[in-house]
Amino acid sequence: MYATQALTHLVPLAEELDKNKVTPGVLGFIVFAALAVGVWLLMKSMNRHMGRVDFEEGPGPAEPASEESAEPVSAKRK
């Protein structure tokens, strides 16, 4: 009996709504907020990982001065 009484009270409220107007509602807000929190957490994690990177740029590959020193760089390291 309580369910039918609740429905009879909601019917007049439903008639007041504009049927041509579509809104995202609470579910849309919750999804948007969850996406925003997820992006924030990903950016925070990315900044933490980028802070741990220790990168020192070494000298670039030099052009060989003569034909004798034209060996590949990998062969010189051995």
Side-chain angles (χ1 to χ4, degrees):
M1 185 109 198
Y2 291 116
T4 56
Q5 287 178 350
L7 288 175
T8 57
H9 290 292
L10 290 177
V11 170
L13 293 175
E15 290 176 359
E16 294 175 6
L17 295 175
D18 185 10
K19 294 180 182 179
N20 295 325
K21 184 178 179 183
V22 177
T23 60
V26 176
L27 181 63
F29 174 75
I30 291 171
V31 169
F32 182 77
L35 287 171
V37 169
V39 168
W40 181 74
L41 289 172
L42 284 172
M43 289 178 62
K44 188 175 178 181
S45 174
M46 181 192 67
N47 283 332
R48 189 176 335 129
H49 281 82
M50 292 299 287
R52 293 180 184 170
V53 173
D54 185 25
F55 177 74
E56 294 180 15
E57 187 173 350
E63 293 185 21
S66 64
E67 292 179 12
E68 295 174 0
S69 64
E71 296 178 27
V73 175
S74 61
K76 289 181 182 179
R77 290 185 184 171
K78 293 182 180 180

XYZ file of all heavy atoms in Angstrom:
591
model
N 0.810 -1.186 0.000
C 0.000 0.000 0.000
C 0.859 1.258 0.000
O 0.492 2.245 -0.585
C -0.926 -0.032 1.213
C -1.898 1.086 1.267
S -3.489 0.378 0.924
C -4.393 1.785 0.507
N 2.006 1.202 0.642
C 2.859 2.377 0.702
C 3.467 2.707 -0.662
O 3.650 3.872 -0.986
C 3.975 2.161 1.715
C 3.481 2.107 3.147
C 3.617 0.949 3.887
C 2.874 3.205 3.725
C 3.159 0.877 5.182
C 2.407 3.149 5.020
C 2.553 1.987 5.761
O 2.104 1.932 7.033
N 3.769 1.682 -1.454
C 4.355 1.917 -2.769
C 3.366 2.630 -3.684
O 3.742 3.530 -4.432
C 4.793 0.596 -3.387
N 2.107 2.254 -3.618
C 1.115 2.917 -4.475
C 0.889 4.348 -4.037
O 0.701 5.234 -4.875
C -0.213 2.145 -4.448
O -0.660 2.011 -3.101
C -0.050 0.787 -5.099
N 0.955 4.608 -2.744
C 0.798 5.981 -2.262
C 1.986 6.836 -2.701
O 1.816 8.002 -3.071
C 0.665 5.996 -0.738
C -0.663 5.483 -0.240
C -0.733 5.457 1.279
O 0.279 5.647 1.953
N -1.920 5.202 1.796
N 3.174 6.268 -2.669
C 4.356 7.010 -3.095
C 4.270 7.331 -4.583
O 4.631 8.428 -5.014
C 5.608 6.200 -2.794
N 3.781 6.394 -5.377
C 3.657 6.637 -6.813
C 2.615 7.710 -7.111
O 2.797 8.525 -8.013
C 3.310 5.340 -7.545
C 4.433 4.319 -7.642
C 3.925 3.030 -8.284
C 5.596 4.871 -8.429
N 1.552 7.717 -6.370
C 0.527 8.741 -6.609
C 1.041 10.128 -6.244
O 0.621 11.110 -6.838
C -0.752 8.430 -5.802
O -0.435 8.339 -4.422
C -1.407 7.160 -6.291
N 1.973 10.218 -5.312
C 2.554 11.521 -4.970
C 3.593 11.952 -5.992
O 3.820 13.147 -6.176
C 3.189 11.466 -3.577
C 2.194 11.360 -2.467
N 1.329 12.377 -2.139
C 1.907 10.346 -1.613
C 0.571 12.006 -1.139
N 0.895 10.756 -0.795
N 4.227 11.006 -6.672
C 5.255 11.340 -7.652
C 4.681 11.680 -9.027
O 5.328 12.360 -9.806
C 6.247 10.184 -7.796
C 7.169 9.948 -6.602
C 8.038 8.724 -6.860
C 8.036 11.156 -6.337
N 3.504 11.231 -9.327
C 2.907 11.486 -10.637
C 2.725 12.977 -10.896
O 3.092 13.463 -11.969
C 1.580 10.700 -10.806
C 0.843 11.135 -12.055
C 1.864 9.202 -10.847
N 2.214 13.766 -9.956
C 2.106 15.201 -10.232
C 3.471 15.864 -10.415
O 3.606 16.794 -11.211
C 1.413 15.761 -8.995
C 0.743 14.621 -8.353
C 1.550 13.423 -8.713
N 4.506 15.371 -9.720
C 5.838 15.938 -9.894
C 6.381 15.629 -11.284
O 7.070 16.442 -11.894
C 6.792 15.379 -8.835
C 6.509 15.790 -7.389
C 7.461 15.065 -6.446
C 6.632 17.284 -7.218
N 6.082 14.458 -11.808
C 6.554 14.078 -13.138
C 5.877 14.903 -14.227
O 6.467 15.157 -15.270
C 6.314 12.597 -13.371
N 4.660 15.329 -13.999
C 3.963 16.135 -14.996
C 4.520 17.544 -15.068
O 4.417 18.202 -16.094
C 2.469 16.169 -14.667
C 1.778 14.838 -14.885
C 0.325 14.869 -14.461
O -0.132 15.915 -13.975
O -0.349 13.840 -14.621
N 5.156 18.009 -13.993
C 5.720 19.354 -13.985
C 7.032 19.437 -14.764
O 7.446 20.506 -15.165
C 5.962 19.812 -12.544
C 4.688 19.990 -11.745
C 4.983 20.314 -10.292
O 6.166 20.508 -9.951
O 4.036 20.359 -9.510
N 7.693 18.300 -14.990
C 8.953 18.298 -15.714
C 8.719 18.560 -17.197
O 7.733 18.122 -17.782
C 9.668 16.957 -15.547
C 10.140 16.612 -14.137
C 10.718 15.205 -14.125
C 11.166 17.612 -13.660
N 9.631 19.302 -17.798
C 9.574 19.556 -19.238
C 10.081 18.313 -19.957
O 11.235 17.913 -19.784
C 10.423 20.766 -19.587
C 10.308 21.156 -21.037
O 9.421 20.615 -21.739
O 11.100 22.003 -21.486
N 9.249 17.676 -20.760
C 9.622 16.432 -21.428
C 10.596 16.652 -22.583
O 11.199 15.721 -23.075
C 8.364 15.717 -21.917
C 7.498 15.258 -20.770
C 6.268 14.567 -21.242
C 5.424 14.166 -20.025
N 4.198 13.501 -20.410
N 10.764 17.898 -23.034
C 11.693 18.201 -24.125
C 13.078 18.567 -23.609
O 13.989 18.793 -24.394
C 11.153 19.350 -24.975
C 9.881 18.944 -25.682
O 9.719 17.796 -26.083
N 8.957 19.872 -25.815
N 13.243 18.658 -22.300
C 14.523 19.055 -21.723
C 15.240 17.818 -21.189
O 14.700 17.049 -20.413
C 14.288 20.051 -20.582
C 15.540 20.603 -19.982
C 15.206 21.608 -18.909
C 16.457 22.162 -18.273
N 16.141 23.078 -17.188
N 16.489 17.642 -21.630
C 17.278 16.499 -21.195
C 18.447 17.031 -20.364
O 19.176 17.902 -20.803
C 17.811 15.690 -22.393
C 18.679 14.541 -21.936
C 16.661 15.199 -23.240
N 18.630 16.504 -19.168
C 19.738 16.904 -18.314
C 20.524 15.667 -17.883
O 19.958 14.575 -17.802
C 19.224 17.633 -17.054
O 18.375 16.751 -16.324
C 18.445 18.890 -17.422
N 21.804 15.830 -17.591
C 22.596 14.674 -17.190
C 22.228 14.149 -15.804
O 22.387 12.972 -15.531
C 24.027 15.179 -17.215
C 23.927 16.645 -17.126
C 22.615 17.029 -17.718
N 21.775 14.996 -14.930
C 21.347 14.559 -13.609
C 22.502 14.201 -12.693
O 23.660 14.521 -12.939
N 22.158 13.531 -11.635
C 23.139 13.174 -10.612
C 24.127 12.139 -11.142
O 25.331 12.222 -10.868
C 22.421 12.642 -9.353
C 23.409 12.184 -8.313
C 21.498 13.699 -8.782
N 23.655 11.182 -11.907
C 24.545 10.164 -12.457
C 25.610 10.792 -13.355
O 26.786 10.421 -13.292
C 23.751 9.114 -13.232
C 24.576 7.986 -13.845
C 25.268 7.182 -12.750
C 23.710 7.088 -14.689
N 25.232 11.746 -14.161
C 26.198 12.441 -15.021
C 27.242 13.181 -14.202
O 28.430 13.184 -14.537
N 26.801 13.811 -13.121
C 27.747 14.517 -12.254
C 28.710 13.543 -11.596
O 29.915 13.805 -11.505
C 27.007 15.322 -11.181
C 27.933 15.951 -10.188
C 28.677 17.064 -10.524
C 28.078 15.409 -8.920
C 29.543 17.644 -9.611
C 28.942 15.967 -8.006
C 29.678 17.092 -8.350
N 28.205 12.407 -11.139
C 29.058 11.423 -10.470
C 30.101 10.868 -11.447
O 31.276 10.732 -11.101
C 28.206 10.293 -9.859
C 27.396 10.834 -8.678
C 29.061 9.119 -9.433
C 26.372 9.872 -8.129
N 29.695 10.586 -12.667
C 30.633 10.075 -13.681
C 31.692 11.129 -13.997
O 32.887 10.833 -14.066
C 29.883 9.644 -14.954
C 30.836 9.365 -16.101
C 29.017 8.433 -14.664
N 31.266 12.373 -14.170
C 32.207 13.457 -14.459
C 33.177 13.663 -13.300
O 34.383 13.832 -13.514
C 31.444 14.758 -14.745
C 32.333 15.910 -15.089
C 32.897 16.010 -16.345
C 32.618 16.888 -14.150
C 33.728 17.068 -16.665
C 33.444 17.946 -14.458
C 34.004 18.038 -15.716
N 32.689 13.627 -12.079
C 33.552 13.793 -10.907
C 34.539 12.636 -10.799
O 35.715 12.844 -10.465
C 32.700 13.903 -9.642
N 34.090 11.413 -11.086
C 34.988 10.255 -11.029
C 36.087 10.377 -12.088
O 37.258 10.058 -11.825
C 34.203 8.966 -11.223
N 35.733 10.834 -13.284
C 36.742 11.042 -14.324
C 37.741 12.119 -13.919
O 38.948 11.985 -14.148
C 36.077 11.412 -15.649
C 35.363 10.281 -16.368
C 34.567 10.822 -17.561
C 36.351 9.246 -16.829
N 37.255 13.195 -13.313
C 38.143 14.277 -12.883
C 39.103 13.789 -11.803
O 40.301 14.085 -11.841
C 37.317 15.457 -12.372
N 38.610 13.022 -10.851
C 39.477 12.481 -9.801
C 40.493 11.513 -10.404
O 41.674 11.528 -10.032
C 38.635 11.796 -8.690
C 39.496 10.993 -7.743
C 37.826 12.839 -7.930
N 40.077 10.694 -11.345
C 40.993 9.768 -12.004
C 42.102 10.481 -12.752
O 43.276 10.097 -12.669
N 41.760 11.541 -13.471
C 42.774 12.314 -14.200
C 43.733 12.971 -13.223
O 44.951 12.997 -13.447
C 42.104 13.358 -15.120
C 43.118 14.351 -15.656
C 41.395 12.669 -16.268
N 43.202 13.499 -12.122
C 44.054 14.134 -11.115
C 45.047 13.129 -10.536
O 46.232 13.430 -10.378
C 43.190 14.758 -10.015
C 43.985 15.438 -8.954
C 44.636 16.635 -9.038
C 44.236 14.930 -7.642
N 45.264 16.900 -7.859
C 45.032 15.879 -6.979
C 43.844 13.780 -6.963
C 45.455 15.694 -5.670
C 44.268 13.606 -5.666
C 45.067 14.556 -5.032
N 44.572 11.919 -10.214
C 45.452 10.888 -9.664
C 46.507 10.455 -10.684
O 47.675 10.237 -10.326
C 44.641 9.687 -9.201
C 43.803 9.902 -7.938
C 42.895 8.705 -7.695
C 44.683 10.169 -6.747
N 46.128 10.342 -11.954
C 47.095 9.982 -12.992
C 48.169 11.052 -13.164
O 49.353 10.753 -13.325
C 46.387 9.735 -14.323
C 45.646 8.415 -14.441
C 44.826 8.388 -15.723
C 46.614 7.256 -14.417
N 47.776 12.320 -13.119
C 48.747 13.405 -13.244
C 49.690 13.440 -12.045
O 50.891 13.680 -12.189
C 48.026 14.739 -13.420
C 47.352 14.883 -14.768
S 46.466 16.419 -14.965
C 47.763 17.599 -14.822
N 49.156 13.187 -10.861
C 49.980 13.156 -9.654
C 50.999 12.022 -9.746
O 52.173 12.209 -9.431
C 49.074 12.976 -8.436
C 49.767 13.103 -7.128
C 48.768 13.042 -5.999
C 49.465 13.110 -4.668
N 48.551 13.031 -3.540
N 50.561 10.862 -10.207
C 51.455 9.722 -10.363
C 52.509 10.002 -11.426
O 53.688 9.661 -11.245
C 50.652 8.485 -10.736
O 51.502 7.404 -11.019
N 52.118 10.631 -12.524
C 53.064 10.939 -13.593
C 54.136 11.905 -13.099
O 55.330 11.724 -13.378
C 52.348 11.546 -14.797
C 53.286 11.871 -15.943
S 52.546 12.874 -17.224
C 52.304 14.407 -16.360
N 53.729 12.927 -12.344
C 54.710 13.881 -11.817
C 55.684 13.197 -10.863
O 56.878 13.503 -10.861
C 53.998 15.035 -11.099
C 53.421 16.017 -12.074
O 53.912 16.180 -13.177
N 52.355 16.673 -11.672
N 55.212 12.272 -10.057
C 56.078 11.537 -9.138
C 57.084 10.688 -9.919
O 58.275 10.662 -9.600
C 55.236 10.657 -8.226
C 56.030 10.044 -7.110
C 55.190 9.241 -6.137
N 53.799 9.656 -6.089
C 52.765 8.830 -6.204
N 52.961 7.541 -6.359
N 51.530 9.270 -6.151
N 56.609 10.004 -10.967
C 57.503 9.163 -11.764
C 58.513 10.004 -12.550
O 59.668 9.623 -12.697
C 56.705 8.278 -12.716
C 56.106 7.088 -12.050
N 54.926 7.162 -11.358
C 56.530 5.818 -11.960
C 54.645 5.969 -10.872
N 55.604 5.126 -11.218
N 58.083 11.143 -13.074
C 58.998 12.002 -13.825
C 60.053 12.611 -12.904
O 61.169 12.890 -13.336
C 58.230 13.106 -14.554
C 57.348 12.586 -15.668
S 58.244 11.744 -16.967
C 59.007 13.108 -17.775
N 59.705 12.833 -11.647
C 60.673 13.352 -10.692
C 61.756 12.349 -10.364
O 62.868 12.718 -9.978
N 61.491 11.068 -10.505
C 62.475 10.017 -10.217
C 63.447 9.789 -11.364
O 64.469 9.123 -11.187
C 61.760 8.702 -9.927
C 60.974 8.726 -8.657
C 60.292 7.406 -8.435
N 59.444 7.462 -7.242
C 58.584 6.525 -6.912
N 58.448 5.453 -7.671
N 57.860 6.650 -5.833
N 63.165 10.326 -12.531
C 64.019 10.108 -13.696
C 65.301 10.900 -13.525
O 65.281 12.095 -13.251
C 63.296 10.533 -14.997
C 64.238 10.474 -16.185
C 62.088 9.665 -15.228
N 66.437 10.223 -13.649
C 67.741 10.861 -13.555
C 68.387 10.775 -14.931
O 68.947 9.745 -15.311
C 68.597 10.150 -12.503
C 69.919 10.867 -12.281
O 69.990 12.081 -12.546
O 70.869 10.197 -11.859
N 68.300 11.849 -15.676
C 68.774 11.848 -17.056
C 69.881 12.875 -17.208
O 69.696 14.056 -16.936
C 67.625 12.174 -18.012
C 68.050 12.269 -19.452
C 68.343 11.135 -20.167
C 68.161 13.493 -20.077
C 68.740 11.210 -21.494
C 68.551 13.577 -21.390
C 68.841 12.435 -22.106
N 71.051 12.391 -17.608
C 72.156 13.283 -17.921
C 72.535 13.051 -19.372
O 72.865 11.935 -19.768
C 73.346 12.988 -17.016
C 73.079 13.299 -15.564
C 74.283 13.001 -14.691
O 75.394 12.829 -15.245
O 74.092 12.924 -13.479
N 72.501 14.115 -20.143
C 72.786 13.985 -21.562
C 74.285 13.880 -21.767
O 75.052 14.725 -21.287
C 72.228 15.183 -22.324
C 72.337 15.040 -23.808
C 71.630 16.164 -24.551
O 70.908 16.935 -23.914
O 71.819 16.251 -25.767
N 74.685 12.849 -22.450
C 76.104 12.642 -22.737
C 76.500 13.361 -24.013
O 75.670 13.960 -24.712
N 77.762 13.310 -24.348
C 78.195 13.957 -25.596
C 77.601 13.238 -26.798
O 77.424 12.025 -26.791
C 79.720 13.818 -25.566
C 79.977 12.667 -24.651
C 78.857 12.668 -23.653
N 77.279 14.002 -27.796
C 76.702 13.438 -29.011
C 77.747 12.679 -29.797
O 78.951 12.765 -29.532
N 77.314 11.912 -30.781
C 78.289 11.171 -31.603
C 79.126 12.147 -32.429
O 78.602 13.002 -33.130
C 77.419 10.284 -32.484
C 76.084 10.933 -32.488
C 75.954 11.669 -31.184
N 80.436 12.024 -32.287
C 81.351 12.910 -33.023
C 81.603 12.340 -34.412
O 81.639 11.124 -34.605
C 82.670 13.041 -32.276
N 81.812 13.224 -35.336
C 82.130 12.783 -36.694
C 83.586 12.310 -36.726
O 84.453 12.910 -36.095
C 81.924 13.925 -37.679
C 80.469 14.323 -37.808
C 80.283 15.371 -38.889
O 81.145 15.493 -39.776
O 79.263 16.055 -38.827
N 83.862 11.253 -37.454
C 85.252 10.749 -37.506
C 86.170 11.750 -38.189
O 85.823 12.370 -39.193
C 85.135 9.461 -38.293
C 83.803 9.470 -38.945
C 82.945 10.445 -38.197
N 87.384 11.896 -37.612
C 88.358 12.850 -38.156
C 89.066 12.271 -39.374
O 89.421 12.994 -40.286
C 89.370 13.221 -37.082
N 89.287 10.965 -39.371
C 89.971 10.348 -40.508
C 89.301 9.016 -40.811
O 88.453 8.542 -40.069
C 91.457 10.148 -40.199
O 91.582 9.234 -39.139
N 89.754 8.384 -41.881
C 89.177 7.108 -42.264
C 89.562 6.001 -41.295
O 88.859 5.028 -41.147
C 89.617 6.743 -43.686
C 89.033 7.649 -44.736
C 89.502 7.262 -46.127
O 90.088 6.176 -46.294
O 89.272 8.037 -47.051
N 90.719 6.125 -40.624
C 91.168 5.103 -39.690
C 90.257 5.024 -38.469
O 90.047 3.964 -37.911
C 92.590 5.395 -39.248
C 93.587 5.293 -40.376
C 94.970 5.736 -39.927
O 95.117 6.109 -38.744
O 95.896 5.694 -40.742
N 89.743 6.131 -38.041
C 88.895 6.163 -36.856
C 87.427 6.073 -37.223
O 86.577 6.463 -36.434
C 89.165 7.425 -36.050
O 88.804 8.546 -36.815
N 87.126 5.567 -38.407
C 85.737 5.475 -38.874
C 85.061 4.205 -38.408
O 84.068 3.795 -38.976
C 85.690 5.590 -40.392
N 85.604 3.543 -37.368
C 84.980 2.329 -36.853
C 83.671 2.684 -36.160
O 83.519 3.773 -35.635
C 85.914 1.668 -35.836
C 87.223 1.193 -36.421
C 88.101 0.600 -35.356
O 87.553 0.101 -34.358
O 89.322 0.634 -35.526
N 82.758 1.752 -36.127
C 81.517 2.026 -35.413
C 81.776 2.252 -33.920
O 82.727 1.721 -33.362
C 80.675 0.771 -35.623
C 81.341 0.004 -36.700
C 82.750 0.490 -36.799
N 80.919 3.001 -33.309
C 81.087 3.338 -31.893
C 81.022 2.078 -31.039
O 81.758 1.935 -30.083
C 80.003 4.349 -31.457
C 80.081 4.620 -29.967
C 80.122 5.628 -32.254
N 80.188 1.127 -31.384
C 80.061 -0.112 -30.613
C 81.351 -0.927 -30.664
O 81.707 -1.616 -29.724
C 78.882 -0.934 -31.105
O 79.085 -1.285 -32.451
N 82.105 -0.865 -31.768
C 83.345 -1.613 -31.883
C 84.434 -0.976 -31.016
O 85.292 -1.662 -30.500
C 83.796 -1.651 -33.330
N 84.406 0.326 -30.828
C 85.401 1.007 -30.018
C 85.224 0.713 -28.541
O 86.166 0.701 -27.781
C 85.321 2.516 -30.237
C 85.799 2.968 -31.588
C 85.702 4.466 -31.681
C 86.116 4.971 -33.039
N 86.009 6.421 -33.130
N 84.015 0.456 -28.113
C 83.744 0.245 -26.693
C 84.228 -1.107 -26.213
O 84.416 -1.315 -25.031
C 82.248 0.360 -26.437
C 81.751 1.776 -26.586
C 80.314 1.879 -26.218
N 79.835 3.238 -26.449
C 78.593 3.592 -26.384
N 77.671 2.723 -26.092
N 78.241 4.839 -26.597
N 84.430 -2.055 -27.094
C 84.864 -3.390 -26.700
C 86.286 -3.350 -26.400
O 87.071 -3.365 -25.786
C 84.587 -4.408 -27.797
C 83.141 -4.634 -28.018
C 82.942 -5.673 -29.079
C 81.462 -5.892 -29.308
N 81.207 -6.890 -30.314
